[in-house]
């Protein structure tokens, strides 16, 4: 199949059309760059252990948690920080079923309730079966993003 029809055009009309097309692509690129910058929001992960939770909470004289520490307050105030993940490390098998409600009430719940930016991440390795002895607390922990004894499920 062969097309032989030629389309007449004048250079006077083509140059303004090309100029407008070029300007529209320049303005759309800058809008895309703005959208990309908005999407590049940071995710921060802060770890805490069974013996050192001052990385997320400040404590009083007797080492009782009283509120979020300066790092948490700083990251919550930053608009570019989208999510702050709180990740447990260490060995949590020393905390038996009767202590899990205290961990939730005194450590985890206040930090999660401080800001909607804060979420749980990682695994608590409690003694197998202990978390099921306090179902409300273990359910709350998993709803916030943490896992319990995930190493056993593998």
């Amino acid at each position: 199949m062969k097309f032989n029809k030629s389309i007449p055009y004048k250079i006077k009309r083509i140059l303004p059309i090309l100029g407008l097309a070029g300007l529209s692509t320049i303005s759309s690129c800058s809008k895309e760059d703005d959208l990309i910058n908005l999407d590049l929001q940071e995710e921060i992960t802060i770890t805490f252990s069974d013996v050192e939770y001052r990385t997320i909470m400040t404590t009083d004289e007797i080492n009782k948690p009283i509120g979020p520490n300066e790092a948490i307050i700083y990251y919550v105030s930053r608009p570019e920080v989208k999510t702050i993940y709180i990740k447990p490390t260490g060995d949590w098998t020393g905390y038996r079923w009767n202590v899990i409600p205290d961990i939730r009430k005194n450590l985890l719940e206040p930090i999660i309730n401080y800001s909607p930016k804060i979420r749980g991440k990682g695994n608590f390795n409690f003694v197998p079966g202990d978390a099921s002895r306090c179902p409300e607390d273990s359910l709350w922990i998993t709803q916030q993003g943490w896992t319990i004894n995930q190493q056993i499920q593998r």
Side-chain angles (χ1 to χ4, degrees):
M1 187 177 247
K2 196 174 184 183
F3 293 103
N4 286 332
K5 186 173 182 179
S6 63
I7 301 173
Y9 62 89
K10 293 185 180 180
I11 293 184
K12 286 186 202 177
R13 292 184 184 157
I14 292 294
L15 289 178
I17 290 172
L18 291 175
L20 287 174
L23 285 175
S24 67
T25 58
I26 291 172
S27 64
S28 69
C29 288
S30 65
K31 287 179 185 175
E32 286 177 14
D33 290 342
D34 292 342
L35 291 176
I36 290 170
N37 289 338
L38 290 175
D39 290 340
L40 291 177
Q41 295 181 345
E42 288 186 51
E43 292 182 349
I44 306 293
T45 300
I46 301 176
T47 61
F48 69 100
S49 72
D50 57 322
V51 293
E52 183 58 52
Y53 47 85
R54 288 190 209 124
T55 55
I56 60 171
M57 296 289 277
T58 56
T59 58
D60 60 9
E61 312 78 49
I62 58 172
N63 219 17
K64 181 182 177 192
I66 56 174
N69 73 356
E70 297 83 24
I72 297 289
I73 294 169
Y74 172 77
Y75 288 130
V76 166
S77 70
R78 305 295 300 164
E80 67 271 7
V81 175
K82 180 181 174 186
T83 308
I84 303 165
Y85 290 109
I86 306 298
K87 182 178 180 181
T89 60
D91 185 20
W92 292 84
T93 56
Y95 296 94
R96 298 303 306 252
W97 67 272
N98 55 345
V99 182
I100 293 173
D102 293 333
I103 293 172
R104 173 197 170 181
K105 186 177 85 173
N106 297 324
L107 183 64
L108 302 178
E109 198 166 358
I111 200 73
I112 290 289
N113 290 340
Y114 181 71
S115 171
K117 290 182 175 184
I118 300 174
R119 297 282 304 143
K121 179 181 184 180
N123 182 49
F124 285 98
N125 63 334
F126 296 123
V127 172
D130 274 4
S132 63
R133 293 181 73 178
C134 45
E136 310 86 31
D137 299 311
S138 60
L139 181 62
W140 183 89
I141 289 171
T142 56
Q143 286 173 341
Q144 304 312 312
W146 290 290
T147 58
I148 297 176
N149 293 336
Q150 188 177 25
Q151 74 280 1
I152 296 173
Q153 297 173 2
R154 291 181 185 178

